[in-house]
């Protein structure tokens, strides 16, 4: 896996991350003591496949890896879900993070294997639940990656029905924020 993640030295952990991130911090081996900020914002929130994305840059084909590949793909999924919501006369999702850590968790496949090597260590391990290697996991897909590539990402909403379903069943900011009790 190509991963990056950890804990911010600049931004404190937001409350919406507490229930997901605190158990992970409690489980981290003492090997990492002093190498990260346990009160910092946990990174990443989510993950996505990030290996060999075909792109065209300056008229030349390239394969792209890492966050530069996965972040636009995840943004595309959310954009298509928002487009679907707007087509149904509903408001877009808005600020995603509190929603991701509560109602949307069922729309993600937990990644439990791998780590993000660094700081002279094996790195943060992927474990059940939120982790500093893969966050909450990857969007659940009902399609194989071959189908995804074959159709050029034209209709991601059909391939991420669980995430779309969670979004459609969420109370929105224009009605009442789903993350305020």
């Amino acid at each position: 896996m190509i991963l990056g993640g950890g804990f911010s030295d600049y931004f404190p952990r937001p409350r919406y991350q507490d229930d997901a991130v605190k158990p992970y911090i409690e489980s981290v081996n003492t090997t990492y003591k002093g190498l990260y900020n346990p009160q910092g914002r946990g990174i990443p929130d989510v993950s996505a496949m990030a290996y060999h994305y075909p792109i065209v840059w300056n008229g030349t084909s390239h394969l792209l890896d890492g966050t530069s590949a996965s972040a636009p793909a995840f943004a595309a999924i959310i954009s298509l879900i928002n487009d679907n919501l707007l087509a149904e006369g509903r408001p877009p999702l808005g600020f995603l993070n509190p929603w991701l850590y509560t109602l949307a968790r069922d729309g993600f496949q937990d990644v439990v294997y791998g780590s993000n090597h660094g700081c002279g260590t094996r790195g943060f391990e992927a474990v059940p639940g939120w982790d500093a290697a893969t966050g909450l996991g990857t969007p659940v897909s009902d399609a194989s990656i071959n189908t995804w590539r074959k159709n050029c990402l034209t209709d991601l909403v059909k391939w991420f029905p669980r995430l779309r379903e969670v979004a459609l069943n969420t109370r929105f900011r224009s009605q009442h924020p789903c993350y305020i009790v």
Side-chain angles (χ1 to χ4, degrees), residues 61-76:
S61 295
H62 299 275
L63 293 177
L64 187 66
D65 299 332
T67 304
S68 297
S70 62
F74 184 77

Side-chain angles (χ1 to χ4, degrees), residues 3-140:
L3 305 170
F7 300 89
S8 176
D9 282 334
Y10 300 102
F11 301 102
R13 183 175 54 252
R15 284 184 300 182
Y16 59 76
Q17 277 193 329
D18 281 344
D19 289 343
V21 175
K22 281 182 179 179
Y24 183 76
I25 290 173
E26 292 168 6
S27 73
V28 172
N29 190 322
T30 56
T31 304
Y32 303 115
K33 188 173 183 169
L35 296 178
Y36 73 99
N37 175 11
Q39 285 79 41
R41 188 194 190 299
I43 304 163
D45 293 308
V46 297
S47 55
M49 186 190 82
Y51 186 66
H52 282 193
Y53 272 58
I55 66 159
V56 176
W57 179 71
N58 206 20
T60 306
S61 295
H62 299 275
L63 293 177
L64 187 66
D65 299 332
T67 304
S68 297
S70 62
F74 184 77
I77 293 166
I78 297 303
S79 293
L80 288 169
I81 289 171
N82 276 336
D83 199 36
N84 219 252
L85 291 168
L86 290 169
E88 294 185 13
R90 301 176 105 176
L93 291 173
F95 181 54
L96 292 178
N97 295 33
W99 178 71
L100 293 173
Y101 284 87
T102 55
L103 302 174
R105 288 183 82 165
D106 286 345
F108 293 90
Q109 175 65 48
D110 194 9
V111 178
V112 296
Y113 299 104
S115 67
N116 53 4
H117 302 273
C119 298
T121 70
R122 180 162 158 70
F124 292 110
E125 299 284 334
V127 299
W130 183 91
D131 56 68
T134 63
L136 297 169
T138 61
V140 173

